[in-house]
Amino acid sequence: MLRKESALKRRDLYLRKLIAFQDTEPVKIITGIRRCGKSSLMKLMIQYLRDSGISEEQIIEMNFESMEYREMTVQDIYNYVKDRIPQNKRVYLFFDEIQRITQWQDAINSFRVDFDCDIYITGSNAYLLSGEYATYLAGRYIEIKMLPLSFAEFIDFYGYTVKESQGALGGSKRIYDADGESYEPQELLEAYVKFGGMPGIANVGLNMDMAMTLLDGIYSTVVVRDILEREKRRGQRQITDPDLLRKIIMFLADNIGNNTSITSIGNTLVNEKLLDISERKGKPAVQTIQAYVGALLESYVFYEIKRYDVKGREYLRTLGKYYIVDIGLRNYLLGFRDMDTGHVLENIVYFELLRRGYDVAIGKIGEREVDFIATDAETKRYIQVTESMNESSTRERELAPLRKIRDNYEKIVIANECLNPVTQDGIKIVRLTDFLLDGGYVMGGSFRKF
């Protein structure tokens, strides 16, 4: 008996982007870590087309995770689609995880040339957009970069509703479940920090054992299928040691938000006896560590952020940072020990800024550092992230780097605990939950449309 589809939860942030590019020439490519919702987004787009009056014969979808299609050659794919193209009608082509097929790009390029079609693709590895395919479609594709659930989406997926009430001191938010019981936003944020934002976890509820089982499956699939098997298909065989790969993953997960270099990763693993130098006859080559880290970046497990010299107005080559795509995945890897809460909060804010369309860098201002410089086509914002702004010493520490920046762009401190959100010396101080739940609270007064 075929699997029955469950009701799809909307991901409007991403769906709006797809709709905006509907019926345009570029191939729409949805990328992101496995199980972050790419296939569901594709189904949401298909449902939108149906609701818009597109007939079933105009929609062709193929999921290459299914055995029905996995053994196809690129010629088989072309013939399959060609045989189903309706006469004198535009066709909408949806290909899920197509990178599993060797030379798949030849079929996509042929569809563009031969048929009146609108093409949508998902892929779980950045290698999808590298090399030959990028050359084929230079300027003819747009990438929709998908992430796990934001905090606002997390609340929605778990069936909660955010309501705002006005009081003498201004507005305040409460979160309500289906039975009308209310919660402080901070309570739900603690759950988000614990469970993370992988959409599938919402199907099992806030159940720790089931959530960890699901995260174990995601981790195993990413490591085995998207990294180890991919290297076999590429024929390069750079990533051959599963134990070394896991040790590097554990190191990066444990050091999110810390200044890190490829050399320091190798040295630390050796010094902490996480690498057996007797077997390796010395420290692992920088090129080897770089290849393993590069594979993790390509699989969207970790994201690298560069440093930017505010005064010199240039990017620096040394000591970037890495953040993990999902805090729940980090908890699965490291366990629920005492976490570096400050860096966990940075991790959450970093990905929220990416969701809102910003390019993000670390700011260097003299000997001080600004957590994030968030830039888009219109403006720039300097952002500090901290656990608390309730102590005067902490306030001074977080405000000091921002005071040293002399331009007129917006400067913000986002605090997990903040009894008195105010503007001080032209610097906005806001609560983390306000920032996460209201895109316009610090970003100009209205929700940012994409």
Side-chain angles (χ1 to χ4, degrees):
M1 185 176 179
L2 292 178
R3 177 175 174 265
K4 183 180 179 181
E5 293 289 344
S6 58
L8 292 173
K9 287 280 191 179
R10 293 182 64 86
R11 303 288 299 274
D12 286 344
L13 173 65
Y14 305 102
L15 182 58
R16 284 198 299 267
K17 293 181 182 181
L18 284 183
I19 292 171
F21 284 96
Q22 180 189 339
D23 293 325
T24 60
E25 179 189 4
V27 175
K28 276 63 75 175
I29 302 178
I30 307 165
T31 59
I33 189 173
R34 283 189 178 274
R35 309 289 288 279
C36 73
K38 299 184 301 296
S39 299
S40 294
L41 176 61
M42 191 172 275
K43 291 182 181 300
L44 286 168
M45 186 63 192
I46 291 171
Q47 186 59 54
Y48 171 81
L49 292 174
R50 289 170 177 154
D51 293 343
S52 301
I54 303 300
S55 65
E56 290 296 332
E57 66 173 348
Q58 293 176 262
I59 299 171
I60 299 173
E61 53 180 316
M62 303 174 73
N63 184 343
F64 294 96
E65 296 284 87
S66 168
M67 289 299 295
E68 184 177 359
Y69 306 115
R70 281 175 60 177
E71 299 304 316
M72 282 186 170
T73 65
V74 66
Q75 186 64 52
D76 293 335
I77 295 170
Y78 181 83
N79 293 337
Y80 179 92
V81 171
K82 181 181 178 181
D83 291 343
R84 288 162 175 78
I85 294 283
Q87 292 294 320
N88 302 318
K89 291 183 180 179
R90 163 158 285 216
V91 66
Y92 295 84
L93 305 179
F94 293 85
F95 303 105
D96 204 355
E97 299 294 348
I98 197 173
Q99 79 271 2
R100 297 185 63 86
I101 306 299
T102 304
Q103 298 300 313
W104 59 271
Q105 64 270 11
D106 291 341
I108 298 301
N109 213 37
S110 292
F111 296 146
R112 289 182 50 254
V113 173
D114 296 345
F115 306 119
D116 178 16
C117 61
D118 196 15
I119 303 174
Y120 301 79
I121 294 171
T122 75
S124 297
N125 201 289
Y127 180 62
L128 181 84
L129 296 177
S130 65
E132 187 177 12
Y133 185 58
T135 301
Y136 268 157
L137 283 188
R140 296 190 179 92
Y141 72 85
I142 59 103
E143 182 183 6
I144 308 296
K145 300 176 181 179
M146 198 165 192
L147 293 167
L149 302 177
S150 67
F151 180 48
E153 288 179 312
F154 175 88
I155 288 172
D156 178 59
F157 267 55
Y158 282 88
Y160 295 93
T161 303
V162 180
K163 296 182 180 179
E164 185 163 1
S165 60
Q166 294 295 323
L169 299 178
S172 63
K173 292 181 176 64
R174 297 285 294 179
I175 297 175
Y176 295 83
D177 63 18
D179 297 323
E181 185 173 350
S182 69
Y183 304 84
E184 291 287 345
Q186 191 67 30
E187 296 178 73
L188 272 295
L189 180 62
E190 290 172 4
Y192 182 63
V193 170
K194 180 183 293 185
F195 288 88
M198 285 298 183
I201 295 179
N203 294 328
V204 301
L206 299 176
N207 179 297
M208 184 56 64
D209 290 339
M210 296 178 75
M212 291 301 106
T213 299
L214 185 143
L215 289 167
D216 176 71
I218 293 171
Y219 170 79
S220 300
T221 301
V222 168
V223 169
V224 173
R225 185 175 299 173
D226 288 341
I227 297 179
L228 298 176
E229 287 188 4
R230 184 208 63 175
E231 290 297 315
K232 292 179 183 178
R233 293 196 299 274
R234 288 171 69 175
Q236 297 186 16
R237 302 296 291 146
Q238 288 181 293
I239 315 299
T240 58
D241 187 339
D243 291 335
L244 176 57
L245 179 61
R246 182 173 179 84
K247 289 167 183 174
I248 292 173
I249 291 171
M250 297 293 284
F251 176 90
L252 292 177
D254 201 25
N255 286 274
I256 57 170
N258 288 327
N259 292 323
T260 304
S261 69
I262 296 299
T263 301
S264 69
I265 295 173
N267 291 342
T268 301
L269 291 176
V270 170
N271 293 337
E272 295 184 0
K273 296 182 171 52
L274 295 174
L275 293 180
D276 189 338
I277 60 174
S278 63
E279 291 183 6
R280 295 178 181 279
K281 300 180 181 180
K283 295 179 181 179
V286 169
Q287 293 87 344
T288 301
I289 302 296
Q290 180 69 69
Y292 279 68
V293 172
L296 292 168
L297 297 176
E298 285 190 345
S299 295
Y300 306 106
V301 181
F302 292 94
Y303 284 60
E304 184 179 15
I305 179 172
K306 300 294 187 181
R307 293 163 64 85
Y308 182 80
D309 188 328
V310 177
K311 288 187 175 180
R313 298 183 180 181
E314 63 178 354
Y315 284 94
L316 305 174
R317 295 184 178 181
T318 57
L319 292 179
K321 296 182 180 181
Y322 296 89
Y323 291 105
I324 192 166
V325 70
D326 181 67
I327 287 297
L329 192 58
R330 181 180 191 256
N331 293 334
Y332 157 76
L333 290 166
L334 301 180
F336 293 91
R337 51 183 173 74
D338 290 337
M339 297 187 296
D340 184 348
T341 306
H343 285 156
V344 168
L345 300 179
E346 284 179 29
N347 202 107
I348 290 170
V349 170
Y350 170 68
F351 283 103
E352 185 65 21
L353 291 169
L354 293 187
R355 288 185 188 95
R356 297 182 187 184
Y358 290 100
D359 292 323
V360 187
I362 307 161
K364 178 181 180 295
I365 178 75
E367 297 301 314
R368 296 182 182 273
E369 187 174 278
V370 177
D371 290 329
F372 301 120
I373 303 175
T375 308
D376 64 10
E378 299 175 354
T379 191
K380 179 189 298 183
R381 292 173 171 92
Y382 301 98
I383 299 170
Q384 289 284 79
V385 182
T386 185
E387 292 182 59
S388 174
M389 285 290 279
N390 293 335
E391 300 295 330
S392 59
S393 59
T394 304
R395 294 175 77 91
E396 287 305 306
R397 185 189 69 219
E398 298 300 333
L399 292 171
L402 299 176
R403 288 181 177 135
K404 292 175 69 68
I405 301 172
R406 299 304 182 188
D407 63 37
N408 294 320
Y409 291 115
E410 192 171 30
K411 300 168 183 67
I412 306 159
V413 178
I414 300 173
N416 189 41
E417 296 179 9
C418 184
L419 296 176
N420 186 29
V422 295
T423 297
Q424 184 172 335
D425 299 335
I427 301 168
K428 292 183 179 180
I429 303 172
V430 302
R431 294 188 184 93
L432 176 59
T433 51
D434 288 329
F435 166 74
L436 294 175
L437 290 178
D438 184 354
Y441 189 79
V442 288
M443 299 304 176
S446 62
F447 184 74
R448 289 174 53 86
K449 303 289 185 182
F450 291 97

